[in-house]
Structures are given as C-alpha cells and as structure tokens.
Amino acid sequence: MISSRQLEYFQAVARELHFTRAAEALRIAQPALSQQIRKLERQLGLDLFERNNHKVALTPAGAALLRHTERILSDLVAVEQEMLGWAGGVRGRIRLGLARGLTARLARVFAAFSGTYPAVEVELQEQNTTEMLAGLQAGRLDVVTLAAPPPPGDRSLLSHPLGAEPLVLVTGVNTALAGQSRLTVAELDGVDLIKYPPGSAVGEIIAGALAAAGAQPRVRFETRDYSTARTLVNVGLAAAIMPRSVARAAGPAVHVVELSPEPVWTPALAWSAHRRPTPALATLIDFMVGHPDLAVDGDISEV
C-alpha cells in the first residue's frame, strides 16, 4: 500500500522536476529521496519519471498519480484540521485564491476575521480564474474569490455572489481621451489598450464587450496586474479597462471614463462541492457571506 510519506516525496519531485531541489525542500538526503522514488516505482510496476541528461519529466502515469496525490494530501490536511477544530475552538489553515480587484475590500474582511478567530491562518494567493479553478480541483486551494460566478451547470462548485461592479476605461490625464467623461465601447476601436492575459475572467468580459461593439483596439501591452496597467496608463502609453473601485483607488493619477454599455464584473466566493469544509473553512465562508463589506445588493465599488 502506498503511504502518505511516499506521496509527499513523489509530489516534491513532481513539482520541482529536480531531485536535489526536492530533497532540499523535504530536508532529506538526495540519495535517500531517489531510493524512495525507485521503491515506489517498483511497487507500482511502472516509471513515474523520465530521467535523461540530468533532466526529469513526468511520465503520463506520473502525471495521473500527481493529480491523485494532490487531492489525497489535501484531504489528509483537511481531516487533521477538522479534528483540531473538534478538539478545541476554531483553528486551522485556509488557502484562499484571491481575484485581483478585490484586495482592498477583502483585506478589511480578513482583518476582522483574524481578530475574531486568531487561531485560523488565512494564506492568500493572488491568481487568475483559470489558476484558481485548477487549484480548487487539485486541492491546492480551499476557497477562491472568482472574478465571475461559476457556470450555472457546474456542479463541482458551490458559490456565493459578492456583488457587481462596472468596468471603466482609465487613460492618462494629458491624453486626448482625458477630455471625455463617457464613451461608447464602439469608440474604443483603434485605441491603444492594455490587455489582460488568458485565464483572466475580467479580460474575457472586456473581450466580449469589445467584440459585441465591433471594436478592435490596438493592444500595446499585456499585464495581469492592475497596478502595472495603471502605471502605464499614467504616463500615457495606453488606456486600460478595470473595475471602477480599482480605478478610483489611490495610485498614479489617471482619468476615469465611463463606458456605454457598461461592462460589469460579478465576483463570487466559490469552494468545492465535493469536499466537506473544515470547521475553519466553514467559519470563514459564513463570515464572508454575512459581512457588510461583501454585500450582494448594488454596486460594490462604493462599499
């Protein structure tokens, strides 16, 4: 029978694709780690890694085992944390995927949560939607704040809306567009624009609005970070579209232009429907769902 220790060793090598670095992360000797992996391969009767010219790569069987390993080890951690929760008070560690644009509002919520439940550690990981959904499926994340709600037919997730907010155009204060207070999306045709990379739900909303209006901006830059986009906008290199609360937050000076029709993003809290939440996770979900800073009625940018 495969042990959890073997899976931990295998996961470390699969993530690093380098035996020495994996051994250092595990704080064991490299020969001992190699021996354990060989033992696991003999036990299973197949190769989990391809090794040649000092390069390590997962075999198809190894990739399949990694998916199971991440889920199994995550479930073991969840079991331990649930038992700790039953043992005395709410405690544990929660890995939360964070959608860009919600940081300021969620920071206040997490500060209040930590004050109420000091024994619960919340680890924040800022990722795009694709990365967060993969993290939930693999068990690397416990709960996420998505930039858009899950598809209605997706039964793998449970979710709760976190409001709705319009997306606006931001441009440099000394550019030609700075004289405008409102533009149609169609008028962005030919405008120098910053885009967000694949996997960004906000980027998909923007792309859909542009396509519906028949607008084809000139893509000048690509970034996954709103602060980077705003810095580029500030010096007049290009315009960008982002949540209104982000555009109005403190930072490099920009001019905000409302768009018509308004693209809207609708963030949501989501977690796996196939894993029972630990006491710590269930407590955090209830806390966020009931917190006034995450109200679902109306424009979240004014909260």
Side-chain angles (χ1 to χ4, degrees):
M1 180 179 295
I2 301 174
S3 68
S4 61
R5 180 61 58 85
Q6 286 177 305
L7 292 179
E8 289 173 359
Y9 287 171
F10 166 74
Q11 182 186 56
V13 178
R15 286 181 173 178
E16 296 288 345
L17 294 179
H18 194 284
F19 278 83
T20 300
R21 288 198 298 269
E24 291 172 350
L26 292 166
R27 297 184 179 180
I28 64 173
Q30 188 270 328
L33 177 59
S34 297
Q35 183 180 11
Q36 289 297 321
I37 296 299
R38 288 292 189 189
K39 179 180 178 181
L40 177 60
E41 289 178 321
R42 289 196 301 271
Q43 187 174 336
L44 295 174
L46 47 81
D47 290 334
L48 300 173
F49 297 98
E50 295 177 356
R51 310 164 177 85
N52 54 63
N53 296 327
H54 304 291
K55 292 184 178 181
V56 178
L58 280 168
T59 63
L65 179 60
L66 179 60
R67 290 192 292 271
H68 290 294
T69 296
E70 290 180 326
R71 185 177 65 253
I72 290 168
L73 294 180
S74 176
D75 287 344
L76 287 174
V77 171
V79 169
E80 181 180 7
Q81 292 187 351
E82 181 172 351
M83 294 303 101
L84 288 172
W86 285 111
V90 180
R91 63 178 66 187
R93 176 170 168 266
I94 299 169
R95 300 159 299 175
L96 187 146
L98 183 61
R100 296 165 184 86
L102 285 175
T103 305
R105 293 171 61 231
L106 289 178
R108 297 193 297 266
V109 174
F110 295 142
F113 179 81
S114 296
T116 307
Y117 301 99
V120 179
E121 176 188 353
V122 181
E123 176 190 321
L124 303 180
Q125 301 181 25
E126 193 174 65
Q127 300 178 356
N128 66 29
T129 298
T130 298
E131 292 166 339
M132 286 191 284
L133 290 176
L136 273 181
Q137 183 178 13
R140 295 189 297 271
L141 293 173
D142 303 306
V143 61
V144 300
T145 57
L146 302 175
D154 187 350
R155 297 185 177 180
S156 67
L157 297 177
L158 299 174
S159 65
H160 179 80
L162 296 177
E165 179 179 3
L167 303 178
V168 298
L169 182 77
V170 293
T171 185
V173 295
N174 294 317
T175 63
L177 292 177
Q180 304 292 327
S181 60
R182 179 175 291 272
L183 289 172
T184 65
V185 176
E187 289 177 282
L188 299 182
D189 189 61
V191 169
D192 292 339
L193 196 68
I194 298 168
K195 68 169 289 189
Y196 306 115
S200 165
V202 168
E204 292 178 2
I205 294 169
I206 294 169
L210 292 170
Q216 294 184 339
R218 292 191 298 266
V219 176
R220 291 291 309 279
F221 302 95
E222 180 177 298
T223 180
R224 61 191 294 162
D225 186 73
Y226 290 134
S227 61
T228 299
R230 185 165 174 162
T231 298
L232 296 172
V233 169
N234 170 258
V235 296
L237 289 173
I241 299 174
M242 59 183 61
R244 188 163 66 189
S245 60
V246 178
R248 290 181 175 177
V254 295
H255 176 70
V256 177
V257 181
E258 305 290 334
L259 293 174
S260 178
E262 284 186 335
V264 175
W265 79 308
T266 53
L269 186 71
W271 59 98
S272 175
H274 303 312
R275 295 190 184 92
R276 186 172 63 181
T278 64
L281 179 57
T283 301
L284 176 64
I285 292 171
D286 289 343
F287 190 91
M288 294 181 69
V289 167
H291 199 281
D293 273 11
L294 300 177
V296 300
D297 52 338
D299 183 348
I300 67 174
S301 68
E302 303 299 335
V303 175

